[in-house]
Amino acid sequence: MAGTEMENAGMFWDLSAYQTEGAWDKDGKGLSIWDVFTHRKGKVVRNETGDSACDGYYKLLKELKVNHYLLSISWPRIMPTAEQLNEKGIQFYNDTINSLLENNITPIVSLYHWDLPQVLQEKYGGWQNISMINYFNDYANLCFEKFGDRVKHWITFSNPWAVAEKGYETGEHAPGLRLGGCGAYKAAHHIIKTHAKVWHSYNNTWRREQRGMVGISLTSGWGEPVDPHSQTDRDAAERYIQFHLGWFANPIYRGDYPEVMKNYVGNAQQGLGTSRLPTFSVQEKTYIKGTSDFLGIGHFTTRYVLQKNFPFLQVSSYHTDRDLAELVDPNWPAPGPKWLYSVPWGFRRLLNFVKTQYGNPLIYVTENGVSETVQCPQLCDEWRIQYLKGYINEILKALNDGVNVKGYTAWSLLDKFEWNKGFSERFGLYHIDFKNKNKPRYPKASVDYYKKIISANGFPNPREVMSAAKFDLFFFLFL
């Protein structure tokens, strides 16, 4: 097969509003749940916040010759009370979108990367309440109205798994609630129904005129059975994926929660009459199924999985419901935090799982990257280059398998605020000196490597990677 050239290749960066915009209390912006959460002592490493911005990135995007850019809109910046409009916030995003287009960069917009208006958390309990569906739909329609003439790719939710599990089960993320056993399932249920309503709103009101697409971005690891010959391990690995990716993807592509979730959450009831996993009505199943024009996939790492039975009397939780244990191979490279091991082959298997389970949908890889917890000497992040090389090569193989991947996003352009980890984990291709008030940025070695991928429309040295056929792939980057 011929080389590793990428036909019509483009690069995508992705921006999460809270992580990069700053100006948390300026120009009429309302409070988000993350503004409140990060100002509580002890919630974030070193009590750091995302109050200040990582601005001035257009020049970097142009230098890298990026032609697609994935950004998120801050709901409370344009609707500070979730009802009134903030014209300055709308102007901010109009200026951002127009600046991108003037620089020949196509905007792709996520409506929700975790910054819920604080007023909705206080009044309704956030995603625990069904009222969020109509509030979010009004917000989405406002965005379609104001920006849809120029934005043709919309993502409803970015990584809703983290919103539900970390926000309402473990409390590691905003709003910091620990509603073990029920909170995550309830939040996810409302998010899925909200996504479907927004898709239908666009389909019925805006699609004919604007001719855009609406999808969702789901982040998941891959689970590999410890013993591939063991049925119990294979079943445990299946649960790992279904409780993570399938939780959201199965209703959208197949009309209901995975059977294994319904069985295991139901069986964990300890005598209760109803399942802690909410149910969809027949009408809701029909309404939700098929509500995605593309699927965003975020992926960072892999785990080995085996069966583990938890004590019957143990307090129920999302994690014990799965009846599994996660292991890692000590030989897997782990240059940064303990959770992120470089296991490229897991990516190909995850992509093929999506192809098989969900009818080979159009896929954009919306998050993929590796961090460091200490500054790399002389900004030489050779391990990040190896990570990118390995994971992109597995996408190449997946394309040869017939997986319908059209875009790839490297996380991330700049070092930035990483949620409850603050600035302690650095995913950026550019190093930021956060101790300097001007926040100067310096390119790491991976910047030059990524530039070469763009200019070569493929790997700079095809002999370094698995031979593959030509393919059509846009490259994004997450800011």
Side-chain angles (χ1 to χ4, degrees):
M1 296 193 177
T4 53
E5 183 178 344
M6 302 174 191
E7 295 181 0
N8 302 320
M11 295 210 51
F12 287 52
W13 287 102
D14 188 350
L15 174 150
S16 154
Y18 181 77
Q19 290 175 291
T20 53
E21 285 180 2
W24 68 283
D25 59 350
K26 307 294 184 185
D27 293 328
K29 178 186 175 295
L31 288 176
S32 78
I33 55 174
W34 274 95
D35 293 323
V36 174
F37 184 77
T38 57
H39 285 120
R40 296 175 187 157
K41 299 300 183 185
K43 296 297 183 181
V44 178
V45 173
R46 296 193 292 266
N47 294 313
E48 294 165 334
T49 74
D51 290 354
S52 57
C54 293
D55 55 4
Y57 47 80
Y58 292 118
K59 183 178 179 182
L60 300 182
L61 295 173
K62 288 189 72 174
E63 287 177 357
L64 286 165
K65 298 183 179 178
V66 171
N67 58 15
H68 290 74
Y69 179 65
L70 204 168
L71 67 146
S72 75
I73 290 176
S74 170
W75 186 355
R77 189 174 295 283
I78 66 172
M79 298 181 78
T81 66
E83 292 178 338
Q84 74 182 77
L85 270 59
N86 177 23
E87 293 295 341
K88 288 185 177 180
I90 292 169
Q91 189 60 48
F92 171 81
Y93 290 111
N94 271 322
D95 292 344
T96 299
I97 291 165
N98 291 337
S99 294
L100 291 168
L101 292 170
E102 288 166 7
N103 288 286
N104 298 313
I105 299 170
T106 301
I108 294 152
V109 174
S110 171
L111 293 169
Y112 191 82
H113 205 128
W114 308 359
D115 44 353
L116 181 77
Q118 174 66 16
V119 65
L120 294 182
Q121 187 63 44
E122 293 176 357
K123 187 174 181 179
Y124 297 104
W127 291 108
Q128 293 297 291
N129 195 298
I130 198 169
S131 300
M132 295 303 99
I133 298 175
N134 286 330
Y135 275 106
F136 190 91
N137 189 57
D138 290 344
Y139 156 64
N141 275 281
L142 175 66
C143 292
F144 298 150
E145 176 190 346
K146 298 295 185 181
F147 314 124
D149 57 328
R150 288 150 292 160
V151 176
K152 304 305 176 185
H153 288 78
W154 296 94
I155 293 170
T156 54
F157 292 90
S158 294
N159 193 3
W161 179 90
V163 176
E165 192 273 338
K166 293 187 180 297
Y168 295 90
E169 171 87 17
T170 68
E172 295 174 66
H173 284 185
L177 300 181
R178 297 179 180 177
L179 308 175
C182 293
Y185 296 130
K186 196 171 183 180
H189 198 68
H190 293 145
I191 287 171
I192 292 164
K193 292 204 283 189
T194 302
H195 161 82
K197 179 151 189 169
V198 169
W199 186 92
H200 281 287
S201 289
Y202 189 86
N203 198 51
N204 295 334
T205 306
W206 305 101
R207 189 186 299 275
R208 179 173 294 183
E209 175 188 349
Q210 296 182 356
R211 299 184 181 277
M213 304 174 73
V214 176
I216 191 168
S217 176
L218 306 178
T219 299
S220 178
W222 174 251
E224 183 75 8
V226 169
D227 179 1
H229 302 293
S230 164
Q231 186 62 49
T232 56
D233 285 2
R234 292 201 303 270
D235 290 345
E238 173 78 7
R239 291 196 300 277
Y240 178 91
I241 299 298
Q242 295 292 4
F243 268 77
H244 208 149
L245 179 66
W247 188 5
F248 296 88
N250 222 70
I252 292 169
Y253 284 95
R254 305 181 74 167
D256 200 0
Y257 291 120
E259 285 299 317
V260 71
M261 284 193 74
K262 292 192 287 185
N263 292 337
Y264 270 71
V265 179
N267 290 340
Q269 291 314 294
Q270 302 169 5
L272 295 178
T274 57
S275 170
R276 288 176 287 106
L277 183 69
T279 58
F280 296 113
S281 68
V282 173
Q283 292 82 3
E284 286 173 337
K285 291 176 185 179
T286 302
Y287 186 75
I288 293 167
K289 185 178 179 180
T291 56
S292 199
D293 302 318
F294 63 88
L295 178 61
I297 290 290
H299 176 72
F300 293 91
T301 192
T302 285
R303 292 290 186 269
Y304 280 120
V305 180
L306 74 163
Q307 168 80 21
K308 179 179 180 180
N309 295 319
F310 289 89
F312 183 71
L313 295 177
Q314 184 166 339
V315 176
S316 297
S317 72
Y318 164 82
H319 291 279
T320 59
D321 286 343
R322 302 179 302 165
D323 273 0
L324 59 85
E326 303 174 26
L327 304 174
V328 298
D329 185 333
N331 294 318
W332 288 345
K338 294 179 180 178
W339 66 272
L340 211 171
Y341 293 81
S342 180
V343 195
W345 53 261
F347 201 6
R348 180 186 184 183
R349 299 186 186 191
L350 178 65
L351 292 170
N352 272 279
F353 177 89
V354 171
K355 173 192 171 187
T356 302
Q357 290 280 314
Y358 310 126
N360 202 16
L362 172 62
I363 294 173
Y364 292 101
V365 176
T366 45
E367 296 180 9
N368 177 243
V370 66
S371 64
E372 72 261 22
T373 53
V374 294
Q375 182 177 341
C376 42
Q378 289 79 49
L379 302 176
C380 183
D381 56 347
E382 175 62 27
W383 40 267
R384 179 174 283 112
I385 293 172
Q386 294 303 318
Y387 179 98
L388 293 172
K389 186 185 298 181
Y391 277 78
I392 293 172
N393 192 35
E394 292 300 316
I395 298 177
L396 252 170
K397 295 175 186 177
L399 281 159
N400 278 338
D401 297 335
V403 179
N404 190 17
V405 185
K406 288 295 181 183
Y408 171 82
T409 313
W411 178 303
S412 59
L413 176 63
L414 307 171
D415 291 337
K416 60 184 182 300
F417 184 84
E418 288 295 336
W419 309 110
N420 60 316
K421 302 299 183 183
F423 298 103
S424 66
E425 289 189 16
R426 295 173 174 264
F427 279 87
L429 274 65
Y430 283 85
H431 172 78
I432 305 292
D433 182 359
F434 292 109
K435 295 180 181 178
N436 186 316
K437 67 178 181 178
N438 296 319
K439 295 184 177 64
R441 61 219 43 192
Y442 307 96
K444 302 174 189 176
S446 51
V447 168
D448 186 56
Y449 179 75
Y450 217 50
K451 283 182 181 178
K452 290 177 180 177
I453 290 179
I454 302 169
S455 62
N457 259 4
F459 289 102
N461 182 1
R463 289 175 296 180
E464 294 178 351
V465 295
M466 188 76 174
S467 179
K470 290 184 178 181
F471 59 97
D472 235 349
L473 184 64
F474 289 103
F475 271 73
F476 309 66
L477 283 167
F478 191 106
L479 180 62

